[in-house]
Amino acid sequence: MTRSLKLKRQSLTRILILFSLLLLFSCQSQRDTSSLEVAEKMTGLEAANAYQEFLSGGEDENVRWNLVYSLFEGEDYDGAKKENDIALSLYPDNIRFRYMEALILEKKELYREELSVLEAIRIDNPGNTDLRERLLSLYSTLGELEKAKEEAWTIIEQDPKNKAALLFLSQDSPFFSALYEEQYGKSEEAEEAEEASST
């Protein structure tokens, strides 16, 4: 056999191997995509199982998020926390996983831990009113009323008609009580106090 023929056979063999590998990866990619399409039609724990299976073949940030969210949606808060902790170690700068950590802690009624997470998030997102409203609620619930008041004032500076902040400040201030009533009507507390005084 001539040397030229040997080289042609080797080249042809290499080309066939490369083509086979490309075909294999193409089929694998197609299968993965279709399994994700199926998972996206599911909810809760059923979807979580499908996302978990997909991740067994390799890590993907969006699929990891879908897994954590599906576990949370399915009320498996321990499972969601475990997978979210993995996500935080892999993607520490992804704000979605940091917020999810707070939501999971809220559902597990671990309010001090939730507060700690939200205070850290607030540093990077000082203008997020929803975040500040949750902090206001937590401070109030945990009896840290001075911090709650500071949070309420910060919210009012950003959003002068914010219902949660006005309601909190109306508890100790006739001015804010009148402002709240003007914007939203009487608070439940004010109505209850009126009913109690009339009986």
Side-chain angles (χ1 to χ4, degrees):
M1 196 181 289
T2 67
R3 182 166 188 218
S4 167
L5 189 55
K6 279 185 180 179
L7 287 174
K8 284 183 183 179
R9 280 189 175 179
Q10 287 175 344
S11 293
L12 185 58
T13 304
R14 284 184 189 142
I15 290 170
L16 285 173
I17 290 170
L18 286 172
F19 180 74
S20 298
L21 287 171
L22 284 172
L23 188 60
L24 178 68
F25 288 130
S26 171
C27 291
Q28 179 68 34
S29 166
Q30 192 67 276
R31 190 180 79 222
D32 289 348
T33 301
S34 66
S35 69
L36 283 180
E37 288 171 7
V38 170
E40 288 169 1
K41 294 175 184 171
M42 300 174 188
T43 58
L45 299 179
E46 188 179 31
N49 289 331
Y51 291 125
Q52 183 70 58
E53 188 170 323
F54 181 86
L55 285 174
S56 68
E59 183 59 37
D60 181 283
E61 187 172 358
N62 288 326
V63 175
R64 174 74 55 190
W65 168 254
N66 289 337
L67 169 62
V68 172
Y69 183 83
S70 297
L71 289 165
F72 182 82
E73 180 183 54
E75 299 180 3
D76 179 0
Y77 303 123
D78 290 330
K81 175 141 181 36
K82 177 184 168 204
E83 293 299 333
N84 199 65
D85 287 346
I86 292 169
L88 285 168
S89 70
L90 294 169
Y91 314 108
D93 297 328
N94 187 318
I95 194 71
R96 292 187 303 179
F97 294 116
R98 292 171 66 199
Y99 275 111
M100 180 56 78
E101 181 180 16
L103 289 173
I104 293 166
L105 292 168
E106 178 185 358
K107 290 295 186 182
K108 292 175 64 98
E109 298 181 4
L110 299 171
Y111 301 124
R112 284 273 171 214
E113 291 86 343
E114 178 192 0
L115 180 63
S116 177
V117 169
L118 290 177
E119 286 175 333
I121 293 173
R122 180 182 55 196
I123 293 167
D124 297 328
N125 298 281
N128 186 322
T129 305
D130 291 335
L131 168 66
R132 287 192 172 274
E133 282 182 20
R134 181 61 187 151
L135 282 166
L136 169 61
S137 174
L138 281 169
Y139 287 136
S140 182
T141 300
L142 296 170
E144 297 184 31
L145 299 182
E146 283 307 309
K147 287 185 177 181
K149 192 177 285 188
E150 287 174 26
E151 207 63 53
W153 277 106
T154 302
I155 293 169
I156 290 295
E157 287 172 7
Q158 295 173 355
D159 178 9
K161 294 182 179 182
N162 184 279
K163 188 175 184 177
L166 286 175
L167 180 61
F168 179 81
L169 293 171
S170 73
Q171 296 171 13
D172 296 330
S173 165
F175 171 77
F176 282 107
S177 182
L179 195 56
Y180 180 88
E181 194 171 318
E182 179 183 307
Q183 294 292 321
Y184 301 105
K186 289 187 178 177
S187 67
E188 289 179 27
E189 292 84 3
E191 287 178 0
E192 287 171 6
E194 277 184 15
E195 285 177 22
S197 66
S198 67
T199 55

